Amino acid sequence: MSKEYIEDQTIEKADYSNQRMANKEYDHCNFINCNFSAANLFQTVFIDCQFTGCNLKLTQVPQTGFQQTLFTDCNLTGIHWHESSPFLYSPQFNNCILTLGSFYAMKLKQLHFINCQLHEVIFTEADLTETIFSHCDLDRAVFDNTLLHKTDFTTAFNFSIHPPHNKLSKTRFTLQGLPGLLNQYDIIIE
């Protein structure tokens, strides 16, 4: 099946919910207030694209490429990002809801999560080297055997990271973030 190419388009208020959008390549496209909920983006590639105010709740992303893709004010609940293509994987997330997502065993070097809700997101065995969690809510996010080299948690909150079960080096925290590193020890910090 040949790939359909779509370039330099602005797509507004389109409804792709519950649809299969296979084998497409979007290059320099803007999606504004579009609904992709429960869509299947099998082998679709997004290059230098922007999603603004879009609903991608429970979207399936098997072998989907996200290269220099920006998500702003989007609902990205329940996406299994680990099923997407690792080739040039480089999304950025601003003011997004990523709750119940999975980045299991992914290389997420230098990604930026800004003002995002990351409740119960799985980062198990992921490489988060130099990733920034700026003003992000990481309530019940799972960090297990996660590489956190130079990862920035200085403005993140509600995280719980068990240092012996992760690889921390030059990881950045503030004094206010220390309870998130010590809560497994059943101690009281005043």
Side-chain angles (χ1 to χ4, degrees), residues 123 128 133 138 141-146 148 153 159-161 166:
F123 291 107
L128 296 172
F133 292 99
L138 292 156
V142 179
F143 297 91
D144 188 32
N145 200 28
T146 306
L148 299 170
F153 290 97
F159 58 85
S160 179
I161 299 170
N166 293 281

Side-chain angles (χ1 to χ4, degrees), residues 4-190:
E4 179 183 352
Y5 292 93
I6 300 100
E7 295 181 88
D8 300 314
Q9 298 289 317
T10 296
I11 302 164
E12 294 187 61
K13 298 182 181 176
D15 188 358
Y16 303 108
S17 59
N18 298 304
Q19 294 183 25
R20 183 176 168 92
M21 299 174 60
N23 295 309
K24 296 184 183 217
E25 183 171 312
Y26 292 93
D27 194 350
H28 288 87
C29 290
N30 294 318
F31 298 91
I32 301 170
N33 297 319
C34 295
N35 185 5
F36 292 87
S37 64
N40 186 333
L41 304 179
F42 178 71
Q43 291 185 341
T44 297
V45 179
F46 298 96
I47 302 169
D48 291 314
C49 291
Q50 293 185 23
F51 291 80
T52 306
C54 294
N55 179 10
L56 289 97
K57 185 176 182 178
L58 300 174
T59 298
Q60 298 173 48
V61 293
Q63 300 174 37
T64 304
F66 296 101
Q67 302 167 18
Q68 300 298 318
T69 303
L70 175 63
F71 294 94
T72 303
D73 300 318
C74 293
N75 184 344
L76 306 165
T77 299
I79 295 178
H80 295 177
W81 300 96
H82 64 272
E83 295 176 351
S84 63
S85 171
F87 182 71
L88 298 175
Y89 185 83
S90 55
Q92 301 296 318
F93 303 98
N94 296 325
N95 300 312
C96 292
I97 299 170
L98 292 112
T99 295
L100 298 171
S102 176
F103 293 95
Y104 175 77
M106 292 185 73
K107 291 189 185 315
L108 303 173
K109 293 181 177 184
Q110 300 178 334
L111 252 59
H112 292 127
F113 295 93
I114 300 169
N115 295 318
C116 291
Q117 179 180 309
L118 295 145
H119 294 183
E120 300 182 62
V121 172
I122 296 172
F123 291 107
T124 300
E125 297 185 20
D127 181 350
L128 296 172
T129 298
E130 297 181 359
T131 290
I132 297 171
F133 292 99
S134 178
H135 303 283
C136 290
D137 185 351
L138 292 156
D139 188 37
R140 297 177 310 254
V142 179
F143 297 91
D144 188 32
N145 200 28
T146 306
L147 179 57
L148 299 170
H149 177 67
K150 294 185 178 179
T151 307
D152 189 341
F153 290 97
T154 55
T155 59
F157 52 97
N158 291 332
F159 58 85
S160 179
I161 299 170
H162 193 46
H165 294 171
N166 293 281
K167 299 169 188 144
L168 284 75
S169 66
K170 298 186 180 181
T171 310
R172 299 184 64 209
F173 300 96
T174 61
L175 286 174
Q176 292 81 5
L178 288 181
L181 297 173
L182 302 172
N183 57 10
Q184 295 86 2
Y185 297 108
D186 195 29
I187 60 175
I188 298 169
I189 302 170
E190 295 181 6

